[in-house]
Structures are given as C-alpha cells and as structure tokens.
C-alpha cells in the first residue's frame, strides 16, 4: 500500500541547513506528484514545494524560492527537500504528500496520501 515517511527534521539555528527526506513505497514516482507542505501552530497547512510526475518539474512557494530545492531519486523512491538559509518563520511540521497523476499544486485537497510529518524548529 501507499506509504510516505518523512525524516530529517530537527532543531537548528537561523542561517543553517537541513535536508528532509520523504521515503515512499507502494507506488511509482512516475505516476504520483509529490508535495511538501508545512503547518505551524495556529496556521493553515501550506504548500512549500512540489514535483510533477509528468516531467519532474519543480515548484516553490515564494517564501522559500531560492532557499529550498526539491529533488527525487526514483531508484530509492525518495523525494528530498534541501532547505538552506533557514529562517525562524520556517518553523513548522513538514509533511510530504502524494497525488495520483502528474499535477503538482499547492492545495491540500489535491493530495490523497500523507506522511506523519517531521518537526523543523529554527531559532533566532
């Protein structure tokens, strides 16, 4: 069955980096778009980055563009989110999600499968 497991979160200082991993199983990355979302306390879950199953095209929220990079390793069925120059406002629980098809939007309603999340905390 479809499963997604996030890892790589932690407590870091502003200006440092983390790499999150989304290990997937039960499906092919050729058929599912993968999105990274985050949710801070009291805030809505928001899209951060996504990658299309159609052509591997990557998309980023304006707040992270230039700092975060999404990539996939089909051999390992894993999608990564490299987060550089982290800021306190990046603090949130980060989730990866899968959507059947090639679209890769930022709406939570487009994604059928979700991981449990990994906490990222960035101190000033």
């Amino acid at each position: 069955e479809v499963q997604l497991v996030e890892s790589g979160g932690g407590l870091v200082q502003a200006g440092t980096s983390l790499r999150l991993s989304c290990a997937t199983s039960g499906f092919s990355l050729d058929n599912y778009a993968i999105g990274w979302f985050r949710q801070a306390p009291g805030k809505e879950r928001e899209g951060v980055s996504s990658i299309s199953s159609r052509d591997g095209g990557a998309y980023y929220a304006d707040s992270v563009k230039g700092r975060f990079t999404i990539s996939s390793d089909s051999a390992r069925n894993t999608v990564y989110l490299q987060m550089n120059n982290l800021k306190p406002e990046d603090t949130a629980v980060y989730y990866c999600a899968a959507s059947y098809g090639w679209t890769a939007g930022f709406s939570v309603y487009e994604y059928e499968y979700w991981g449990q999340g990994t906490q990222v905390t960035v101190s000033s």
Side-chain angles (χ1 to χ4, degrees):
E1 62 182 22
V2 172
Q3 291 187 354
L4 301 92
V5 180
E6 305 94 336
S7 62
L11 303 170
V12 299
Q13 294 182 342
T16 63
S17 299
L18 284 173
R19 188 180 73 164
L20 305 183
S21 297
C22 176
T24 72
S25 61
F27 66 97
S28 171
L29 293 177
D30 292 335
N31 299 321
Y32 285 78
I34 302 296
W36 283 99
F37 293 78
R38 66 187 182 187
Q39 188 166 25
K43 300 289 187 179
E44 294 183 329
R45 190 169 300 185
E46 63 176 352
V48 176
S49 183
S50 59
I51 187 164
S52 173
S53 62
R54 183 180 186 182
D55 57 6
Y59 308 92
Y60 301 93
D62 289 342
S63 59
V64 307
K65 190 172 297 183
R67 299 188 297 121
F68 291 10
T69 303
I70 191 170
S71 62
S72 65
D73 185 340
S74 60
R76 297 182 62 85
N77 294 113
T78 301
V79 177
Y80 303 95
L81 185 68
Q82 178 68 44
M83 306 187 296
N84 296 329
N85 191 24
L86 284 162
K87 302 176 179 180
E89 53 262 43
D90 295 319
T91 295
V93 177
Y94 282 71
Y95 301 87
C96 63
S99 173
Y100 182 74
W102 54 264
T103 58
F106 285 165
S107 172
V108 298
Y109 302 107
E110 298 177 8
Y111 291 84
E112 183 176 4
Y113 303 102
W114 293 81
Q116 67 177 18
T118 185
Q119 177 72 47
V120 173
T121 302
V122 184
S123 63
S124 302

